[in-house]
C-alpha cells in the first residue's frame, strides 16, 4: 500500500523557475527520503531527512519535514531541463528493516 | 559499472508460464530489497534479505512468488503461473550494513504477461 501522497501529480515549469513538490504520509516515521526516476537512470536517491530534523539542503535541493502535520516538501531551485523526471517521497518507519514505503510521485516537466 | 544490476531488463511471457529474475547488488552490500512498480504508481515493497536470510515479506508476495539469496550475494525472484496482473517493473535495491538508510536501485526488469 502507498504511504505517501505527492502533490501535485504533475508540474510543468520553465527552466530557471523553482519547483515545489509536497508529500503527506500517514504513520510515524523514522526518516523520509526523496528519489528521482527517469527512463534513463532508474530510481536515484536525492536526499534524506530524519524525523528529528526540520530542514535539509543539498545543492539546489531543499527539503522540509513537519512531523506534526505528517508532511514534507521538496524544493528544486533554478530548475534545468535535466530535472525532468518523476519524484517520489519514501518513508521509513521506526521499527522494521528500513524498507521504504513510496508515494505515487510527482511528474515534473521542465521546458527549455 | 559497480551499481546494482538486474537481468533480464525486459521479459515477455505468456500467462501461466514461470519467470525468474536476477539481481546483483553492489558488492559488499549485505541488505537487498525487491520492489514492484506498476504504471503511474510508486514502488511497492515485496521482500527484504539481510545476507542470505529473508527477514521480511510483504503480503503482496503471494504463494506464486518466491525469492532467494543463497550465498548472500545475488538474489533471484521467481513468479510461478504468471497472471496478467503480474505485469510490472520489478526493482531491486541494496544498501550496506552500517551505512546510510538510502537504497541503491537497479534499472529494473519490466515484465509483460500476455
Amino acid at each position: 500500500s502507498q504511504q505517501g501522497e505527492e502533490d501535485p501529480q504533475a508540474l510543468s515549469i520553465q527552466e530557471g523557475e523553482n519547483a515545489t513538490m509536497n508529500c503527506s504520509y500517514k504513520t510515524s516515521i523514522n526518516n523520509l527520503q526523496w528519489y528521482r526516476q527517469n527512463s534513463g537512470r532508474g530510481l536515484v536517491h536525492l536526499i534524506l531527512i530524519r524525523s528529528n530534523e526540520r530542514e535539509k539542503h543539498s545543492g539546489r535541493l531543499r527539503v522540509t519535514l513537519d512531523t506534526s502535520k505528517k508532511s514534507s516538501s521538496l524544493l528544486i531551485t533554478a530548475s534545468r531541463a535535466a530535472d525532468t523526471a518523476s519524484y517520489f517521497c519514501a518513508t521509513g518507519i521506526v521499527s522494521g528493516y528500513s524498507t521504504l514505503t513510496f508515494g505515487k510521485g510527482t511528474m515534473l516537466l521542465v521546458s527549455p | 559499472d559497480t551499481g546494482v544490476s538486474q537481468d533480464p531488463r525486459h521479459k515477455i511471457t505468456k500467462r501461466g508460464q514461470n519467470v525468474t529474475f536476477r539481481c546483483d547488488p553492489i558488492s559488499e552490500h549485505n541488505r537487498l530489497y525487491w520492489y514492484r512498480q506498476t504504471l503511474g504508481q510508486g514502488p511497492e515493497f515485496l521482500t527484504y534479505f539481510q545476507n542470505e536470510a529473508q527477514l521480511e515479506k510483504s503480503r503482496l508476495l503471494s504463494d506464486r512468488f518466491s525469492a532467494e539469496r543463497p550465498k548472500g550475494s545475488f538474489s533471484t525472484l521467481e513468479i510461478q503461473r504468471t497472471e496478467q496482473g503480474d505485469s510490472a517493473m520489478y526493482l531491486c535495491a541494496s544498501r550496506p550494513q552500517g551505512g546510510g538508510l538510502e537504497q541503491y536501485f537497479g534499472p529494473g526488469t519490466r515484465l509483460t504477461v500476455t
Side-chain angles (χ1 to χ4, degrees):
Chain A
S1 63
Q2 310 283 172
Q3 154 84 302
E5 291 284 339
E6 283 91 340
D7 171 56
Q9 290 186 336
L11 181 60
S12 183
I13 60 174
Q14 300 289 118
E15 266 192 326
E17 294 181 339
N18 296 342
T20 299
M21 288 160 263
N22 302 298
C23 166
S24 60
Y25 58 91
K26 298 173 185 173
T27 62
S28 295
I29 62 170
N30 169 274
N31 69 91
L32 186 143
Q33 305 179 34
W34 286 89
Y35 287 80
R36 180 182 66 212
Q37 185 177 40
N38 57 35
S39 57
R41 290 197 58 196
L43 267 165
V44 175
H45 177 264
L46 295 176
I47 193 166
L48 177 152
I49 187 165
R50 294 184 181 271
S51 59
N52 61 352
E53 298 177 308
R54 291 296 167 260
E55 187 171 315
K56 211 161 179 186
H57 297 255
S58 177
R60 294 184 297 114
L61 304 179
R62 171 178 166 255
V63 64
T64 62
L65 178 64
D66 186 334
T67 53
S68 67
K69 295 181 179 179
K70 291 187 169 58
S71 68
S72 173
S73 68
L74 174 68
L75 169 67
I76 304 174
T77 59
S79 296
R80 306 165 182 167
D83 294 328
T84 294
S86 291
Y87 291 81
F88 296 92
C89 69
T91 54
I93 61 174
V94 174
S95 60
Y97 297 104
S98 297
T99 58
L100 295 174
T101 304
F102 285 82
K104 294 184 179 181
T106 291
M107 194 177 306
L108 173 65
L109 174 63
V110 182
S111 301
Chain B
D1 184 21
T2 57
V4 178
S5 61
Q6 292 187 244
D7 184 68
R9 295 291 302 277
H10 303 272
K11 178 71 177 177
I12 300 174
T13 191
K14 292 184 177 179
R15 190 176 53 187
Q17 298 294 305
N18 299 342
V19 293
T20 300
F21 311 139
R22 175 178 170 127
C23 169
D24 286 87
I26 294 172
S27 180
E28 297 178 359
H29 279 197
N30 70 328
R31 302 172 189 215
L32 187 146
Y33 305 79
W34 284 98
Y35 293 84
R36 180 175 71 185
Q37 185 177 24
T38 54
L39 200 61
Q41 302 292 316
E44 292 181 291
F45 167 73
L46 291 178
T47 191
Y48 163 70
F49 288 86
Q50 185 166 311
N51 300 309
E52 65 275 9
Q54 188 175 20
L55 297 182
E56 191 171 356
K57 290 194 291 186
S58 162
R59 51 192 169 84
L60 290 176
L61 212 67
S62 75
D63 292 346
R64 296 185 297 105
F65 287 69
S66 63
E68 294 183 340
R69 194 181 183 199
K71 297 182 180 179
S73 57
F74 73 92
S75 175
T76 58
L77 178 68
E78 181 183 17
I79 308 174
Q80 296 183 325
R81 305 181 303 281
T82 52
E83 302 172 356
Q84 287 189 321
D86 296 330
S87 295
M89 177 77 85
Y90 290 84
L91 297 164
C92 176
S94 69
R95 71 180 186 94
Q97 182 172 2
L101 295 172
E102 62 269 24
Q103 296 181 16
Y104 298 81
F105 282 81
T109 294
R110 181 167 297 283
L111 173 67
T112 302
V113 181
T114 61

